[in-house]
Amino acid sequence: MRQAVRAAAAAAGMSLVDQTKIVTAASELARNTLVHGGGGTGRVESVVNARGRAGVRLVFSDTGPGIADVEQALVEGWTSGSGMGLGLPGARRLADEFALETEVGRGTTVTVTKWTR
């Protein structure tokens, strides 16, 4: 996943710093999908916005337990397990756009987008 995201970010023309940010977000979200969601899918999309700016969109989905308290899960440092509590809030901070859809007992989908500067 990390290699696919880095390749897509480089192809979009992102700086090395922005490539590193989106790869780090992907790593955090992939880990969350595996550890908390019990596995799932990750998708990398090359996107262009209405103003012609290129970007990379990542979509991670699972059919795990979902997130009961989204507000708490987005607080840096809070963890539901043994992690550092940086996964979701870290990914949100590293991306330009962040969306989270979750339903207890049905799973979670997190979508992040990083745009070229």
Side-chain angles (χ1 to χ4, degrees):
M1 178 57 74
R2 291 173 60 91
Q3 291 174 343
V5 172
R6 183 161 310 273
M14 284 186 195
S15 69
L16 186 56
V17 170
D18 283 344
Q19 288 178 42
T20 301
K21 286 179 180 181
I22 194 67
V23 167
T24 302
S27 184
E28 294 292 339
L29 294 172
R31 181 185 180 284
N32 278 3
T33 300
L34 182 63
V35 172
H36 300 292
T41 62
R43 189 172 71 236
V44 182
E45 302 173 356
S46 296
V47 293
V48 177
N49 71 8
R51 289 175 258 145
R53 198 160 93 181
V56 174
R57 179 169 295 134
L58 310 176
V59 182
F60 289 88
S61 296
D62 66 60
T63 56
I67 301 170
D69 189 340
V70 172
E71 193 172 312
Q72 187 175 36
L74 291 171
V75 171
E76 259 187 67
W78 183 85
T79 180
S80 62
S82 61
M84 294 173 53
L86 299 175
L88 288 175
R92 181 172 64 172
R93 186 174 15 86
L94 293 167
D96 295 322
E97 297 175 10
F98 177 92
L100 185 143
E101 297 174 28
T102 188
E103 187 177 336
V104 173
R106 303 208 71 156
T108 302
T109 298
V110 180
T111 304
V112 296
T113 306
K114 186 75 176 165
W115 299 104
T116 56
R117 306 260 172 245

